[in-house]
Every structure is written in C-alpha cells, then in structure tokens.
Amino acid sequence: MNILITGGAGFVCSHLADTLFDKKHDLILLDNLLTGNKKNVEHLLNHKNVKFIKHDVQDHIEISEEIDFIFHFASAASPIAYQENPVNTLKAGSIGTINTLGLAKVKNADYLLASTSEIYGDPEISPQSEDYWGNVNPNGERSMYDEAKRFAEAATATYSRTYNLQTKIVRIFNTYGPRMQLNDGRVVTNFIVQALNGKDITIYGDGSQTRSFSYVQDTVNGIVALMESEHNEVFNIGNPIEITINELASKIIELTNSNSKLINKDLPQDDPKQRKPDISKAKTLLNWEPKVRLEDGLTKTIDWVSSQL
Ligand SMILES: NC(=O)c1ccc[n+]([C@@H]2O[C@H](COP(=O)([O-])OP(=O)(O)OC[C@H]3O[C@@H](n4cnc5c(N)ncnc54)[C@H](O)[C@@H]3O)[C@@H](O)[C@H]2O)c1
C-alpha cells in the first residue's frame, strides 16, 4: 500500500514506519519537525519507497501520489510540548484532522486517527474502557491537547458517517521507548536522565498516582493490528499493568544503579490520579496484547538514553 503518516518523524511514528517498511509498504512521512526529528527516520530515507515531506498539517495538504491509507499522528504529545506550542497543538488536532480527512476523501483512502487516553481526562472509573466518555476540563491547561483530540474523534466519526470513509481511532496510553525526546518532561525519560546523571528524581505530588506504561513496539503492534483488521471503530491500545510513580522511580534507580534520591514537587493542574486501559476489546477483536515486561522495556530505553547523553 501507499501509506501517508503525519507526524512521521516523531517517536511513535518512527517505530510505526519501521514496522510498515518491513511489511513492504511505500511510505510518505509528513512532519513539520516541531517535536520530531529527521534523525528518527534517517535510516529509512535512503530507500526509494520512503519519502519525507516537511509540512504543517494545519496548512492545506497537496500530495500527487495515490494514497491507500492515512495515519494522522501529527501533534505535540507531551504536556510540556503541547503547552509550549498550544495553538499549533489545537490546530494539529482540529484543522489538521479536517485536512487529513479531506485528503482521505479525495484519495479514497482508509484512515486511522491517533487519539489518546487523555480524552478520558481525570477518569472517574478504572480501568477505562472505550465506552467511557471521560471527565475532561474543557478549558483547562491541557485542553488544547485533550479537547483537540476529542474534536478529532468527532471529526473522524462525522466524516466516516457522512462520506462513508473507512476510519479507525486508536486511543494510545502512555508509551515509552527509544527515540523519545529527552527534554519534553515525560516521566520515563525524566527519571532515566536524572538517574543516569545522579541527580535528584523529581516526583510531582506524593508519587502515589499510578500510570501504566506500554513499550513502543507493543503499542505499534496494536496499531498495525487495528490497521490490518476489518474493524472501523475505537480501540484502546496500552498496557494495563499499573505502577505508582514512586515504584517507577525505584525501578529506574535499581536498573541504572543510581544513587539518586527522590524529591517531591507540586502536582501540575489537571494531572490525572490514575490511568489504566481496559484492553479487552483489542484482545478479543484484534487478538493483540502487550508482551514486553516493564523491566525489559526500561532496560532498552535506558541503553538508548545512555547512548544519547
Ligand atoms: N507517546 C505516547 O505516550 C502517546 C500517548 C497518547 C497519544 N499519543 C499520540 O501519538 C502521536 C505521536 O506521539 P509521539 O509520542 O510520537 O510524539 P512526538 O512529538 O514524538 O511525535 C509527534 C510528531 O508530530 C509532528 N508534528 C507536531 N505538530 C505537527 C503539525 N502541526 N504538522 C506536522 N507535524 C506535526 C512532530 O514534529 C513530531 O514528529 C500523537 O498524536 C500523540 O497525541 C502518544
């Protein structure tokens, strides 16, 4: 297939591109390099079936090639990155989604939207299944991201119903692994960098809040399973094993053999207390579940971060 990936030079999409390349698809990677890096996909770019286009999805997208499938992943994704680029984030999720859906309509392409567990906000139930509508602050400090993603879901569903497009939505939960940016404040890289440098490990709040972390290849395998399935629906993709932030910090200190101490800082606004995906739908319908143990994924990530420092 000819596949367009927006956000193609980013962390998750660079791994997605590797997997789709191995499956012999032709790829167009479109990215404005706001938070991504061409280095993430450099190894693919000398192949004639992979093309890179520097472009912002908020601007009209013109592509001459036939396109069979579009992945719309372009968006700043970490709280620091989207709060530093609030309007671009809002537009990537809203105008960018309309632009890429319009392209899918013109090219008669199938479509997969990257949504997020953040559309559940600070959830009142745990784990979160796809039929939970969420508890989101519509104008809070994260709203440029989570409300734009909620709009993106609405736009995808509307185009699908109105124009009979084949669309899929993946709600990705916390994903980590090599090629994450080191300075965008995501907890796994923050802790690893601090531990490797022997600095204090910063815990926001008392550290009892929980997260569940999915290794990037597991997440990508789930996304590809959805792409290859006949299901044009919403799926949670993530790892349901929950861990407190304090436990994560201790694990990273152990794996890096670090002397770092834990220090506590105030919890940011709208930081959810708990996030845990219910993945029974993906397990049943996509025959997918995460396979990589946290210790193994963290070890690979620590090796990669060390190579970057
Ligand atoms: N990593 C996670 O844990 C996670 C969790 C939930 C959802 N997601 C979603 O997955 C997608 C990828 O996230 P990631 O973690 O790889 O982040 P990332 O920042 O590494 O990747 C995003 C990519 O999109 C590009 N981009 C941003 N705004 C753009 C714009 N306006 N036009 C064109 N390109 C633009 C960036 O340059 C970057 O290469 C995002 O849509 C994000 O919301 C990720």
Side-chain angles (χ1 to χ4, degrees):
M1 283 202 276
N2 282 334
I3 298 178
L4 170 70
I5 308 180
T6 76
F11 156 55
V12 172
C13 286
S14 65
H15 292 276
L16 175 65
D18 283 342
T19 300
L20 296 174
F21 178 81
D22 290 343
K23 287 177 170 269
K24 312 281 182 237
H25 295 295
D26 292 349
L27 305 178
I28 300 177
L29 310 176
L30 183 147
D31 201 298
N32 68 352
L33 301 179
L34 179 74
T35 53
N37 196 321
K38 245 179 150 175
K39 260 193 354 206
N40 290 336
V41 287
E42 217 162 36
H43 55 286
L44 296 176
L45 295 181
N46 53 355
H47 293 274
K48 65 176 185 341
N49 58 334
V50 182
K51 181 173 162 184
F52 180 82
I53 302 176
K54 185 160 187 287
H55 187 81
D56 195 305
V57 290
Q58 64 179 284
D59 301 322
H60 176 71
I61 306 170
E62 195 86 47
I63 289 186
S64 52
E65 288 93 340
E66 291 299 305
I67 309 265
D68 304 304
F69 201 98
I70 298 175
F71 288 91
H72 179 39
F73 277 56
S75 169
S78 77
I80 285 190
Y82 57 70
Q83 286 165 354
E84 272 175 8
N85 303 286
V87 175
N88 193 278
T89 303
L90 192 69
K91 288 185 175 177
S94 54
I95 301 170
T97 304
I98 295 288
N99 282 342
T100 49
L101 283 166
L103 188 68
K105 183 172 163 245
V106 169
K107 300 283 185 186
N108 198 18
D110 292 358
Y111 187 91
L112 192 152
L113 170 74
S115 183
T116 166
S117 56
E118 295 233 7
I119 67 103
Y120 297 122
D122 190 1
E124 295 142 313
I125 58 159
S126 185
Q128 297 88 47
S129 59
E130 289 85 349
D131 51 11
Y132 176 53
W133 291 353
N135 174 38
V136 180
N137 180 345
N139 51 31
E141 287 178 7
R142 291 171 175 242
S143 57
M144 78 296 275
Y145 181 68
D146 46 32
E147 288 295 3
K149 289 285 189 184
R150 289 172 71 93
F151 173 83
E153 289 205 12
T156 302
T158 302
Y159 268 63
S160 175
R161 289 187 196 110
T162 310
Y163 301 117
N164 209 16
L165 290 183
Q166 306 297 306
T167 63
K168 302 160 191 282
I169 296 174
V170 60
R171 292 188 186 142
I172 302 170
F173 282 65
N174 261 335
T175 295
Y176 72 98
R179 302 186 195 148
M180 288 175 89
Q181 290 168 75
L182 300 188
N183 56 357
D184 72 353
R186 291 196 231 199
V187 62
V188 171
T189 37
N190 257 9
F191 286 3
I192 294 176
V193 170
Q194 289 169 333
L196 289 174
N197 288 331
K199 300 247 171 71
D200 290 342
I201 292 200
T202 327
I203 310 268
Y204 292 102
D206 66 2
S208 64
Q209 68 272 35
T210 66
R211 294 290 183 274
S212 41
F213 295 99
S214 176
Y215 187 65
V216 64
Q217 194 58 53
D218 276 337
T219 297
V220 163
N221 290 346
I223 294 167
V224 173
L226 173 57
M227 171 207 180
E228 291 176 345
S229 79
E230 76 277 18
H231 299 290
N232 294 314
E233 295 166 37
V234 181
F235 283 86
N236 285 340
I237 293 291
N239 191 317
I241 298 175
E242 242 177 329
I243 175 171
T244 68
I245 292 299
N246 284 332
E247 285 165 345
L248 176 73
S250 306
K251 218 174 256 296
I252 289 176
I253 288 178
E254 188 189 314
L255 291 171
T256 51
N257 259 327
S258 173
N259 300 319
S260 295
K261 306 269 171 300
L262 310 187
I263 55 158
N264 297 84
K265 287 198 177 164
D266 288 346
L267 208 56
Q269 194 200 10
D270 296 336
D271 195 59
K273 284 175 278 308
Q274 194 180 27
R275 276 282 166 67
K276 175 181 158 110
D278 178 340
I279 56 165
S280 22
K281 187 174 174 187
K283 268 188 178 169
T284 315
L285 297 181
L286 306 179
N287 197 19
W288 167 87
E289 63 182 315
K291 298 251 166 19
V292 180
R293 290 172 45 228
L294 184 63
E295 289 72 14
D296 299 336
L298 284 177
T299 302
K300 287 186 187 160
T301 312
I302 290 166
D303 289 347
W304 183 80
V305 174
S306 315
S307 74
Q308 303 298 304
L309 288 178

